[in-house]
Amino acid sequence: MKLNVVSPKGVICSVEAESVTFPGTEGSFTVLRNHAPIMAMLEKGDIVYRIQGEESRIPVAKGVVNVSHNIIDVCVE
């Protein structure tokens, strides 16, 4: 899946990820390949993504995520 994370300052990350876990306002959730389309609000926490089994984190204050056709677009503060 293609993960794109941007902020008002520019691109934070643009990678191919195996899984991505988000701090949603309704609770954390994980997106895997072929996930159904979804749009959700994010709260303070970490976006956690895995590439070849290795975990990376991006701290966020709040934001929004859109998932569609194995493309994950995230806009954060």
Side-chain angles (χ1 to χ4, degrees):
M1 300 175 298
K2 182 68 172 182
L3 171 64
N4 302 304
V5 182
V6 298
S7 77
K9 294 183 180 182
V11 176
I12 295 174
C13 152
S14 184
V15 297
E16 288 289 330
E18 298 165 358
S19 68
V20 187
T21 301
F22 294 98
T25 56
E26 301 294 319
S28 68
F29 62 97
T30 300
V31 174
L32 300 172
R33 186 161 192 69
N34 298 319
H35 195 285
I38 184 174
M39 182 175 267
M41 299 297 294
L42 303 177
E43 65 181 15
K44 186 174 182 175
D46 290 339
I47 296 172
V48 181
Y49 63 93
R50 289 185 177 273
I51 300 174
Q52 295 181 345
E54 244 182 80
E55 188 176 281
S56 297
R57 294 176 175 269
I58 301 170
V60 298
K62 61 182 175 178
V64 63
V65 57
N66 183 58
V67 178
S68 182
H69 302 289
N70 292 317
I71 298 173
I72 305 169
D73 292 313
V74 187
C75 184
V76 299
E77 286 186 21

